[in-house]
């Protein structure tokens, strides 16, 4: 039995009995493309075996670096964008709770972790600088090239603050660069300044990189157990290596979402009932969106946080355009629980819940929502994990990574490239006057002024 419980009972009235078995041959073929490297993007499949083949020496260095950061810093600033920050941010929130950074050091396992370089907002950077204040801090700059605009600007500004506070020599000892093994501007700077460095593997794309040093150093800085994280992913890799849809829930999920997509369900709404899973949805959206959204095809990835968003999006989900389906990420045993107390006045009419646990109330809410949305014409899939441990997170990460790889091949696209993300960059560079983009800049300025 799989560690993750996958419930597809609430798609039965939308998927005929014969449809899933008829997907088996296609799934088996997609699996062969993935495992044998015959499919598009085969150079970026190293995440498949990463949980068991990762560099043990570098893994130990990551843990030692995290221990040093916890000893000499109060804050770790992680600078990166896209896959260079979403995975780490998702994991920090998942494992430590919504208010981790607001807790006193006595209540935290590690340092406060904040993120920069994921926008071009001056206000955000100033607020982050004010948050650091005069406290001890370190920087983890994450970039394969070292020239991506958003993180490069943030690194310039925060590196200057670091040098001003500590002097250049000590500042260099507080900078950790996660970058290409041999090439790129950041690799050159790291070598010249003797930053401690970690490698972004060539065969792992950004959105699949959370279990590489890209995600592992920030996660370890919070005191999380990296060994359990990797063990969860490793066990998932073994569990999801079979092709039989009856035995592989990750492949079954991929097959069902493709069946629904071909019936016109073009939007997938990933949902949770625990607020500290909000960033998991953001990581999931990049994983799904960049992997599948190309060649004018793909399921649009969206998200909602329940029960909060039932008071804003619930009406549309219940009665809006019937082009969406839901995937709920559910935690069987959340970290905490509370009982609803008795109130003698009972003005709010809640005494019927007296003595019931809040987790039980949340569970009944989930069940009620599933039934209502199903009746309203919305297929619902549920992915349930036992708890919010490192092991569960590693397992869940791998579940979605292997599912979207199979899903992409089922849809006839390369699930490992992202050619479309470069289009806006060319225009931005041209409008900013970057050398080499003068002709395009002139044309774009004419268009803007028409």
């Amino acid at each position: 039995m799989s560690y993750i419980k996958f419930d597809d009972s609430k798609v039965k009235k939308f998927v005929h009995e014969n449809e899933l078995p008829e997907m088996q041959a296609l799934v088996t073929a997609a699996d062969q493309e993935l495992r044998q490297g015959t499919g598009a993007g085969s150079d970026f499949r190293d995440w498949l075996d990463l949980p068991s083949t990762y560099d043990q020496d570098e893994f130990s260095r990551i843990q030692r670096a995290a221990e040093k950061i916890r000893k000499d810093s109060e804050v770790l600033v992680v600078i990166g964008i896209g896959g260079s920050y979403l995975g780490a941010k998702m994991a920090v929130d998942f494992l430590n709770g919504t208010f981790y950074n607001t807790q006193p050091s006595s209540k935290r396992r590690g340092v406060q972790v904040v993120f920069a370089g994921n926008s071009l907002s001056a206000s955000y950077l100033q607020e982050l600088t004010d948050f650091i204040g005069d406290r001890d801090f370190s920087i983890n700059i994450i970039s394969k090239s070292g020239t991506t605009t958003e993180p490069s600007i943030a690194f310039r500004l925060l590196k200057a603050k670091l040098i001003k506070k500590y002097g250049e020599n000590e500042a260099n000892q507080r900078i950790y660069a996660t970058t290409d093994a041999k090439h790129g501007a950041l690799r050159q700077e790291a070598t010249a300044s003797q930053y401690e460095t970690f490698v972004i593997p060539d065969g792992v794309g950004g959105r699949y990189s959370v279990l590489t040093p890209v995600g592992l150093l920030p996660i370890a800085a919070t005191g999380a157990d990296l060994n359990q994280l990797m063990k969860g992913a490793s066990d998932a890799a073994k569990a999801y290596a079979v092709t039989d849809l009856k035995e592989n829930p990750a492949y079954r999920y991929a097959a069902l979402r493709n069946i629904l997509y071909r019936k016109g369900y073009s939007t997938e709404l990933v949902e949770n009932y625990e607020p500290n899973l909000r960033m998991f949805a953001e990581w999931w959206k990049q994983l799904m969106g960049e992997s599948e959204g190309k060649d004018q095809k793909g399921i649009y990835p969206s998200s909602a946080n329940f029960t909060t968003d039932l008071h804003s999006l619930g009406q549309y989900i219940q009665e809006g355009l019937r082009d969406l389906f839901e995937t709920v990420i559910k935690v069987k045993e959340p970290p905490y629980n509370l009982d609803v107390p008795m109130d003698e006045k009972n003005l709010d009419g809640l005494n019927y819940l007296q003595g019931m646990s809040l987790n039980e109330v949340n569970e009944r809410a989930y069940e009620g929502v599933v039934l209502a949305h199903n009746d309203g014409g919305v297929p619902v899939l549920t992915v349930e994990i036992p708890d919010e441990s490192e092991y569960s997170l590693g397992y869940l990460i791998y579940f979605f990574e292997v599912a979207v790889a199979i899903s992409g091949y089922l849809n006839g696209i390369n699930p490992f490239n992202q050619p479309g993300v470069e289009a806006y960059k060319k225009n931005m560079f041209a409008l900013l006057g970057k050398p080499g983009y003068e002709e395009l800049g002139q044309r774009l300025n004419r268009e803007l002024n028409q």
Side-chain angles (χ1 to χ4, degrees), residues 58-77:
E58 185 172 52
F59 189 75
S60 296
R61 284 201 304 113
I62 289 170
Q63 293 176 309
R64 289 196 297 271
E67 184 178 0
K68 178 180 179 294
I69 292 167
R70 292 195 297 270
K71 286 181 178 178
D72 66 20
S73 300
E74 295 179 71
V75 181
L76 174 64
V77 183

Side-chain angles (χ1 to χ4, degrees), residues 99-110 112:
F99 301 103
Y100 172 76
N101 276 340
T102 67
Q103 294 175 342
S105 57
S106 60
K107 295 287 185 70
R108 284 185 277 106
R109 297 183 293 179
Q112 294 170 310

Side-chain angles (χ1 to χ4, degrees), residues 126-175:
Q126 184 60 59
E127 291 167 10
L128 184 144
T129 301
D130 292 343
F131 174 81
I132 297 170
D134 195 40
R135 294 183 296 161
D136 290 317
F137 75 105
S138 296
I139 292 174
N140 179 203
I141 169 68
I142 306 170
S143 176
K144 196 164 182 65
S145 67
T147 59
T148 306
T149 306
E150 294 90 339
S152 295
I153 291 174
F155 186 43
R156 279 197 181 195
L157 290 166
L158 288 161
K159 180 173 61 175
K161 177 178 174 64
L162 201 66
I163 293 172
K164 182 178 180 180
K165 181 174 177 62
Y166 298 106
E168 189 166 358
N169 288 336
E170 185 178 346
N172 290 347
Q173 296 174 32
R174 289 174 172 271
I175 296 174

Side-chain angles (χ1 to χ4, degrees), residues 241-389:
V242 298
T243 58
D244 191 338
L245 290 173
K246 296 177 182 177
E247 298 180 17
N248 190 330
Y251 283 18
R252 189 177 179 91
Y253 165 66
L256 284 168
R257 63 196 301 274
N258 272 265
I259 291 171
L260 292 170
Y261 173 56
R262 294 170 192 184
K263 290 174 179 281
Y265 295 95
S266 57
T267 297
E268 182 175 10
L269 199 62
V270 74
E271 301 158 354
N272 64 75
Y273 284 75
E274 295 294 333
N276 64 312
L277 268 65
R278 181 181 66 85
M279 284 305 300
F280 190 93
E282 298 303 310
W283 170 81
W284 175 90
K285 283 192 284 191
Q286 185 197 11
L287 180 68
M288 296 296 181
E290 280 196 350
S291 296
E292 294 191 304
K294 56 200 70 166
D295 298 337
Q296 288 74 56
K297 292 185 285 188
I299 299 168
Y300 180 75
S302 189
S303 63
N305 305 288
F306 288 170
T307 58
T308 305
D309 290 339
L310 289 170
H311 296 262
S312 55
L313 298 176
Q315 172 62 41
Y316 186 92
I317 297 169
Q318 189 69 41
E319 296 183 347
L321 192 64
R322 298 298 76 182
D323 64 346
L324 62 86
F325 66 97
E326 298 170 283
T327 297
V328 181
I329 300 174
K330 188 167 172 288
V331 182
K332 184 176 181 180
E333 296 289 342
Y336 303 102
N337 203 356
L338 298 169
D339 290 337
V340 179
M342 169 68 76
D343 185 323
E344 290 185 4
K345 294 182 179 179
N346 195 30
L347 295 177
D348 53 16
L350 293 179
N351 275 355
Y352 75 100
L353 298 176
Q354 184 264 329
M356 185 179 291
S357 74
L358 203 51
N359 286 344
E360 187 177 356
V361 175
N362 212 14
E363 175 74 15
R364 297 292 87 76
Y366 155 77
E367 293 170 350
V369 169
V370 168
L371 292 171
H373 289 180
N374 217 227
D375 288 343
V378 180
V380 183
L381 301 165
T382 298
V383 177
E384 182 182 84
I385 54 175
D387 52 35
E388 293 181 25
S389 64

